[in-house]
């Protein structure tokens, strides 16, 4: 079986963490029946430097033809001066939009070994397992009109449009309800129906969809600000949280810190086309630590594992990788972001090596 993957390391720590994914892919290619056909290309600032745009058409075509795309991270101060439409982030948004990857799955899972790495009390987060389902191709990120206009009197006006249609809300709602059925069977829908029409519509459509097709799932609604507060107060009340693009961006960063580090969280962006997906860590390009071997590669490795599960139909391999991550953590091996007293601090590269070693021990070599 050969899986066609496109790897987009991107900027900052992206290339470093992707190198560790590459090690795992190479090991799997050499030692199991599963083969990978790998193409690497640039995205974000790296693509801007090479092609003059943050996502080249050729790259996009390769991504369209792939079974899965794994991305590192985009952005950095080097491109702060670049026109808005050509910024590194614009490349990622274009990729999500062009592939119609509307459903962003962001799991926040607390590993027992990392319970003390969280800033929250162990009792609050032990056993935490939340899935944030973020709408990814609509809302204020893409709404028109948008822009900055000159009002002529020395004043300017910046504006964006928050917009959702019935269809967009229903399709992301379905993803959330379906996922909930395979987990804790609870969905909490978060919006600001109290102040925004788009939020009111969101609540109405989710309620309707629930009544029509998902009455077996427990549905609650929360204003997004309350949801942010409840995530800190009592995070284990949540199973699946479904929310829009902007609130999902914010709530997923918050949820990630419950687990101890942004460096641990993977994500999957799935679309209408069955199997196609973009997998990326929730963390950013962290330019402040780039090139120093300090980055935690586990979020990107776990993103690859999500690709095995959701796009490549290789759940057994995904289980092995997730198990290897657990083992490495249980043995006290840590990168700087999750370092604790009594543990051993590893560089990005050494963490990748440790993981490959565990994987090799777990998978019987064919
Ligand atoms: C994320 C990031 C992106 C977003 C940026 C880099 C465009 O913060 O994936 O959460 O806002 O969606
Ligand atoms: Mg974000």
């Amino acid at each position: 079986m050969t899986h066609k993957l496109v790897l987009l390391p991107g900027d900052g720590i992206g290339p470093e963490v992707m190198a560790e994914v590459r090690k795992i892919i190479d090991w799997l290619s050499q030692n199991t029946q599963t083969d990978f056909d790998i193409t690497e290309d640039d995205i974000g600032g790296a693509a801007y430097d090479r092609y003059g745009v943050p996502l080249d058409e050729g790259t996009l075509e390769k991504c369209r033809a792939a079974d899965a795309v794994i991305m590192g991270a985009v952005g950095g101060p080097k491109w702060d001066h670049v026109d808005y439409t050509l910024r590194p982030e614009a490349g990622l948004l274009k990729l999500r939009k062009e592939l119609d990857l509307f459903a962003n799955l962001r799991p926040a899972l607390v590993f027992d070994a990392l319970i003390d790495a969280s800033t929250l009390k162990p009792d609050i987060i032990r056993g935490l397992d939340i899935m944030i389902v973020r709408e990814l191709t609509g809302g204020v990120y893409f709404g028109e009109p948008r822009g900055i206009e000159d009002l002529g009197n020395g004043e300017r006006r910046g504006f964006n449009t928050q917009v959702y249609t019935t269809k967009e809300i229903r399709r992301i709602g379905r993803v959330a309800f379906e996922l909930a059925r395979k987990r804790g069977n609870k969905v909490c829908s978060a919006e600001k129906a109290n102040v925004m029409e788009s939020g009111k519509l969101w609540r109405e459509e989710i309620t309707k969809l629930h009544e029509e097709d998902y009455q077996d799932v427990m549905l609650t609604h929360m204003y997004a600000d309350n949801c942010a507060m409840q995530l800190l107060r009592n995070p284990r009340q949540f199973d699946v949280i479904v929310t829009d693009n902007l609130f999902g961006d914010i709530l997923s960063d918050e949820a990630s810190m419950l687990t101890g580090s942004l460096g641990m969280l993977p994500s999957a962006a799935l679309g209408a086309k069955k199997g196609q997906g973009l997998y990326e860590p929730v963390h950013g390009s962290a330019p402040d630590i780039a090139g120093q071997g300090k980055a935690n590669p586990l979020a990107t490795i776990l993103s690859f594992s999500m690709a095995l599960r959701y796009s490549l139909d290789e759940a057994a391999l995904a289980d092995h990788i997730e198990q290897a991550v657990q083992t490495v953590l249980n043995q006290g091996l840590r990168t700087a972001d999750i370092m604790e007293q009594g543990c051993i601090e590893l560089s990005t590269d050494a963490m990748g090596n440790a993981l490959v070693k565990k994987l090799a021990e777990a998978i019987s070599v064919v």
Side-chain angles (χ1 to χ4, degrees):
M1 187 60 152
T2 303
H3 301 299
K4 229 170 143 172
L5 290 185
V6 172
L7 306 186
L8 304 172
D11 310 320
I13 59 171
E16 294 161 61
V17 293
M18 193 62 81
E20 304 315 308
V21 172
R22 194 68 207 244
K23 279 182 198 165
I24 294 179
I25 294 175
D26 289 345
W27 188 90
L28 291 174
S29 292
Q30 282 160 22
N31 298 286
T32 69
Q33 306 283 17
T34 313
D35 256 323
F36 296 91
D37 167 359
I38 303 288
T39 309
E40 274 205 31
D41 208 336
D42 289 313
I43 190 169
Y48 177 80
D49 290 348
R50 181 164 157 201
Y51 302 114
V53 286
L55 179 68
D56 182 61
E57 284 304 321
T59 312
L60 182 57
E61 282 320 306
K62 286 180 211 163
C63 292
R64 267 192 225 288
D67 297 322
V69 180
I70 322 280
M71 201 200 73
V74 293
K78 185 179 170 197
W79 302 280
D80 274 351
H81 67 283
V82 173
D83 186 75
Y84 211 69
T85 55
L86 294 175
R87 283 180 64 97
E89 290 81 359
L92 174 58
L93 296 185
K94 181 170 175 190
L95 182 59
R96 290 171 177 170
K97 189 76 175 173
E98 287 288 329
L99 298 186
D100 201 17
L101 302 171
F102 68 89
N104 191 200
L105 276 40
R106 300 194 156 188
L109 196 83
V110 169
F111 289 91
D112 266 348
L114 290 188
I115 213 151
D116 291 318
S118 175
T119 47
L120 271 81
K121 294 193 184 96
D123 282 350
I124 305 281
I125 53 158
R126 187 170 286 114
L128 182 79
D129 181 359
I130 297 177
M131 178 68 86
I132 297 192
V133 177
R134 169 190 178 194
E135 200 292 324
L136 202 59
T137 51
V140 74
Y141 271 60
F142 296 95
E144 298 281 349
R146 62 189 297 157
I148 299 178
E149 64 184 13
D150 204 331
L151 296 178
N153 53 356
E155 286 269 320
R156 293 189 300 160
R157 179 172 169 266
F159 54 100
N160 291 86
T161 306
Q162 165 77 338
V163 52
Y164 272 106
T165 62
T166 302
K167 183 175 154 227
E168 287 175 307
I169 300 166
R170 285 177 69 92
R171 69 177 183 174
I172 194 70
R174 262 190 209 289
V175 172
F177 286 125
E178 294 288 339
L179 268 171
R181 278 186 178 156
K182 296 187 195 131
R183 300 170 37 99
N185 214 33
K186 286 199 297 189
V187 170
C188 175
S189 170
E191 26 58 10
K192 286 282 287 177
N194 51 347
V195 286
M196 296 163 81
E197 280 78 4
S198 60
K200 184 170 180 302
L201 184 77
W202 182 284
R203 187 175 288 217
E204 287 171 7
E205 292 299 338
I206 293 283
T207 304
K208 223 168 109 203
L209 179 64
H210 177 250
E211 275 166 15
E212 284 166 18
D213 291 337
Y214 297 100
Q215 287 194 25
D216 55 304
V217 181
M218 193 183 136
L219 171 67
T220 53
H221 302 276
M222 234 180 229
Y223 297 137
D225 54 343
N226 182 29
C227 183
M229 185 275 277
Q230 294 292 341
L231 268 173
L232 294 182
R233 195 182 73 85
N234 176 18
R236 275 185 313 217
Q237 70 184 283
F238 297 108
D239 176 28
V240 174
I241 296 175
V242 63
T243 190
D244 77 11
N245 204 343
L246 182 61
F247 295 140
D249 181 42
I250 297 167
L251 294 175
S252 62
D253 261 33
E254 186 190 359
S256 77
M257 274 317 287
L258 301 173
T259 72
S261 171
L262 204 49
M264 291 299 301
L265 285 214
S267 80
L270 308 176
K273 196 172 149 205
K274 199 173 173 340
Q276 194 169 48
L278 165 67
Y279 299 83
E280 45 170 320
V282 172
H283 66 68
S285 60
D288 53 319
I289 59 161
Q292 301 170 30
K294 285 186 187 163
N296 184 346
L298 294 179
T300 315
I301 289 171
L302 289 168
S303 299
F304 170 60
S305 153
M306 285 186 94
L308 289 168
R309 198 179 292 288
Y310 292 105
S311 283
L312 310 179
D313 210 12
E314 297 276 8
L317 287 182
D319 287 345
H320 277 304
I321 291 178
E322 283 156 31
Q323 190 55 52
V325 169
Q326 292 248 19
T327 311
V328 163
L329 295 174
N330 288 343
Q331 290 178 344
L333 305 177
R334 300 281 190 277
T335 41
D337 56 314
I338 48 175
M339 184 56 191
E340 291 168 73
Q341 231 188 353
C343 291
I344 302 162
E345 188 171 324
L346 299 184
S347 66
T348 311
D349 172 64
M351 181 55 100
N353 294 345
L355 209 72
V356 170
K357 198 160 156 252
K358 292 292 164 267
L359 206 58
E361 284 166 16
I363 299 179
S364 55
V365 178
V366 208

